[in-house]
Amino acid sequence: MTSDVLIIGGGITGLACAVELKLRGANVTVLCRDFTAAASHAAAGMLAPDAENITDAAMLSLCQRSLTLYPEWISKLEEITGLNAGYWPSGILAPVYQKAGVNLPISQSPSLWLDQATINQYQPGLSTDVVGGWWYPDNGQVDNRYLVKVLRNAAESLGVIFKDGVAVEAIAQQQGQVIGVQTNTGFLKADHYLLAAGAWSNQILPLPVRPCKGQMLRLRVPEFLTELPLTRVLFGENIYIVPRRDRSIILGATVEDVGFTPDNTPAGIHSLLAAATRLYPPLADYPIQEMWWGFRPATPDELPILGESHCSNLTIATGHYRNGVLLAPVTANLIADMILSQKTDPLLTNFHYSRFQNIPFKTQSSTTSMLTHPANFTNGHSKTLSLQPTEFNLQDPGLVIAGKTFQSRLMTGTGKYRSIEEMQKSVAASGCQIVTVAVRRVQNNAPGHEGLAEALDWGKIWMLPNTAGCQTAEEAIRVARLGREMAKLLGQEDNNFVKLEVIPDAKYLLPDPIGTLQAAEQLVKEGFAVLPYINADPMLAKRLEEVGCATVMPLAAPIGSGQGLQTTANIQIIIENAQVPVVVDAGIGAPSEAAQAMELGADALLINSAIALAENAPAMAYAMGLAAVAGRMAYLAGRMPMKSYASASSPLTGTITG
Ligand code: GLY
């Protein structure tokens, strides 16, 4: 049976949506890779729109709506399951150490400034450094671990199907529709799909969601205290202290931009303990029960990504960053409205995925690629750069890769430029039709890669996503899949090209031949047109061709070295043996070297550093474009044979002598 809705992600967002969709009559399946890894499992469960000092108006409104939904939502879940979700509208105190320089929180809900004496009445035992604080009676907490168990139990008892240990590897799309998901256990289909994979979302779709690590720990109220010493959440500077009714006290959390680096660290735990015992000194003697860490799903503007995607049957609910527990009920409602009733709340426009791309949301009809019509390519110098060999009685069908024809035989990149404008001018001046883009760097908004999506006209330039930064075949396969999604998101529906780079070596950036071959085999099986970057190894080139690669891309010299053609003899053998285009990639430093590679019979060139690092990059790009044309023309024209001796330019026979 196929599900009506397949949810990718079994954290609080996926679970809350599953329950809501099921209650509204849908057949729901949840794919849950690792329940305990979810941020909702690691969280403290604060319901704290005011204490978190959320200043974005749309976000604050979303959070307030969710907070309002909480009591009824919890009652409903507790009724379904008969379990306690640990909801405690305890209020939150936000003590401050000094008034000078304190930014007063912007709050729409009732909040109160308490002076030193009053805050000490609300919470005895605070540090003498505390000079007052805010009281947010509407904010509170829920025991997030209880809550996710209750949600899961509710979902199961309602008939939601769970597939645990199932990891989604790729989303298969056709014509603006998801046709299924590739998982570690096979291919799964549904009518509609919901991506709710938290910090892992961008391993599935190229969304700018990155992990933001938080370390936490739990203390226990000592036995000799009969009463709970803390009954309100304390939200201090770089620390929050969340007392539970079961005598646990949660301390959180660090905010670390360290990717998916696991583990608690002495520095992390020390910072939490120091801040907590400063705020509430009695904690210094409380027993430590547990330490853990988790990964918040962070977006560049720290707002969630909610709503439609580039595919009509794929909805997104991710990037909740610090507020996933709080936002669960409102997210579930909005997403269920959208999937089952096609109702889009106006608030959702603020959380649309395309805000990071600054490109209009593209429908299928507006994504017609111009690439099937190479004649449509124009640039300022097209007359010169596309000089037709036919004018000289030479036949050149153009560069054909995986059935696509390109007039230009020069490919360029987007890295290392001093500015986006310089890159744009250079790409135009080069006359190139294929530009390679590092998928990982674009996703991570690496320096020089911010705004790349908008910077080039992908209706005219064919994107060649590359797997730069991948050290293993597995990583490269994953990033290649993301690259395909990226190209689709940018309107290139039929783009299945990938420049495969598997580079474990950081010094010389030499590709791993075995990893490259393994990844190439897999990617070819998945329908990619694979353009592997390799050392100039003729045997490897042959093997890659045999497994179905669309080209081979041997290096002239190490990437970015500008050393020119260091591997001429091997490149010649590769050219001689290859039935697929040979693209000389890396190491070209000057137009003379570009021309030389083309004269050898290379089918194309990929040049980035030599253009981007030239003093005048656009001028060098233009020169490289000319060199590629010159070299190709020379190859087709057939160079004169070399001789050991001189041969006078003006023949002696028939000349007048004496
Ligand atoms: N919600 C608090 C945190 O993310 O640390």
Side-chain angles (χ1 to χ4, degrees), residues 43-46 52 214 216 235 240 252-255 296 321-324:
M46 285 185 300
E52 284 276 359
M216 311 192 59
F235 198 105
Y240 46 79
T254 60
V255 179
R296 306 172 182 91
Y321 189 43
R322 295 178 65 97
N323 296 290

Side-chain angles (χ1 to χ4, degrees), residues 54 239 543 616:
I54 291 163
I239 189 72
R543 292 290 303 274
N616 185 331

